[in-house]
Amino acid sequence: MKTKNTYLLITMLLFSIVVSAQSDNGNTTSSEPLITDRPDATEASSTVGKGVLQIETGGLYESFEDNSVQFQSYTYNTTLVRYGILDNIELRLGWDFVEGVTKINGNKLDNVTSGLSPLLLGVKIDISEEKNGMPEIALIGHVFPIFSASRDYRPETTGVDFRFSLSHTLSEKSSLGYNIGAEWGNDSPEAAAIYTLAYGYSFTDKFGFYAELYGDLPEDSSANHYWDAGFTYLVSNDLQLDTYVGTSITEGQDLLIGLGASFRIPSN
């Protein structure tokens, strides 16, 4: 458990550092609320902006039971770091610290897995703004190098994905976002099409809700479909909290629950 506690400490330190930075630099608070790529699976169709550093982190729990065998996954650190090198291009760095537990008839087995999943290295590029009924569009691509993963979560091949992220403003309080793309990885050479569709609604300037469908369609396997829904709370224009819950429509997930926070450090 020493490694797990280390990563929990890192996450807490990140939170403290960013909040302190915001407190010490109150005059740099942004005039517009931050837009995040969490908590839903739908990536935002906008970049963070030149010189802006944005950190999005959290934790989640997943479970699935099949014939009295229950698989539980605890992700203690889901950090994504986004940095704008230009007004329309951001670099992306992410990592997850995961612990997997297997139970048979309620009895926990000794083969607990833990460690870092493959590092996420990527880029997001703004393609077009929303105009005349056409959506805002961005292109996102990631690579997941196998050398960056811990032994328990090291795949046989390097993973790659890409997606187009699109969004429409429906009204002053609501919006629709959706992604479409493909991924290669998870120890399989076959490609899988990926999709997401999320509806967002703002109850107030600070309190929001979303509901989402998402999934993947592998070339030679059955499709996987999921849903989730959650709430966001804007503490300030540069700090957002979130919580969410979900499950699968097809087999594979009985419960998903998580929470997190996103921070933005504006450029001077």
Side-chain angles (χ1 to χ4, degrees):
M1 295 297 178
K2 183 178 179 180
T3 306
K4 179 183 75 175
N5 292 335
T6 299
Y7 282 93
L8 284 172
L9 178 61
I10 290 173
T11 302
M12 293 175 65
L13 286 173
L14 282 172
F15 184 91
S16 300
I17 290 170
V18 176
V19 171
S20 296
Q22 291 177 338
S23 298
D24 295 338
N25 299 279
N27 58 343
T28 63
T29 300
S30 302
S31 60
E32 296 294 330
L34 80 172
I35 299 174
T36 69
D37 281 347
R38 63 165 298 120
D40 53 7
T42 301
E43 307 279 18
S45 58
S46 59
T47 54
V48 294
K50 184 178 180 179
V52 174
L53 176 65
Q54 189 159 305
I55 302 171
E56 305 177 10
T57 189
L60 62 92
Y61 166 81
E62 297 175 272
S63 69
F64 174 63
E65 186 168 350
D66 184 23
N67 294 326
S68 300
V69 180
Q70 185 181 42
F71 304 94
Q72 298 177 321
S73 177
Y74 300 85
T75 304
Y76 297 101
N77 181 51
T78 61
T79 299
L80 173 66
V81 178
R82 305 167 59 191
Y83 180 74
I85 58 172
L86 295 173
D87 287 335
N88 65 332
I89 300 177
E90 71 176 42
L91 299 180
R92 301 160 64 83
L93 170 68
W95 68 93
D96 298 337
F97 183 79
V98 187
E99 181 178 275
V101 175
T102 303
K103 294 182 179 180
I104 299 179
N105 294 320
N107 298 312
K108 181 179 178 181
L109 303 185
D110 294 331
N111 61 337
V112 175
T113 59
S114 65
L116 287 170
S117 60
L119 194 69
L120 175 153
L121 300 172
V123 62
K124 181 192 288 190
I125 303 171
D126 287 335
I127 295 177
S128 65
E129 297 181 351
E130 185 176 6
K131 187 177 182 181
N132 298 326
M134 298 299 293
E136 182 178 68
I137 305 174
L139 174 63
I140 308 169
H142 300 123
V143 62
F144 304 85
I146 58 176
F147 66 81
S148 62
S150 302
R151 182 181 60 183
D152 288 341
Y153 293 97
R154 184 171 299 160
E156 295 181 0
T157 58
T158 296
V160 177
D161 71 23
F162 78 90
R163 68 180 68 196
F164 288 95
S165 176
L166 305 94
S167 66
H168 292 273
T169 301
L170 301 180
S171 71
E172 185 178 345
K173 290 181 174 291
S174 63
S175 62
L176 187 68
Y178 48 100
N179 295 173
I180 185 168
E183 62 183 7
W184 293 260
N186 295 325
D187 289 331
S188 173
E190 66 176 331
I194 53 178
Y195 76 90
T196 73
L197 176 64
Y199 171 77
Y201 185 83
S202 298
F203 295 109
T204 69
D205 291 341
K206 292 183 176 294
F207 191 54
F209 167 81
Y210 83 91
E212 175 184 51
L213 294 173
Y214 65 101
D216 59 80
L217 298 86
E219 289 179 313
D220 302 316
S221 306
S222 299
N224 303 292
H225 304 290
Y226 308 86
W227 71 267
D228 66 345
F231 297 94
T232 59
Y233 181 74
L234 195 66
V235 179
S236 71
N237 282 351
D238 297 318
L239 174 59
Q240 177 179 282
L241 307 179
D242 63 69
T243 185
Y244 57 98
V245 64
T247 186
S248 60
I249 299 171
T250 54
E251 292 187 356
Q253 187 184 80
D254 294 329
L255 176 65
L256 166 70
I257 187 168
L259 53 83
S262 300
F263 331 93
R264 178 174 59 187
I265 302 178
S267 59
N268 293 325

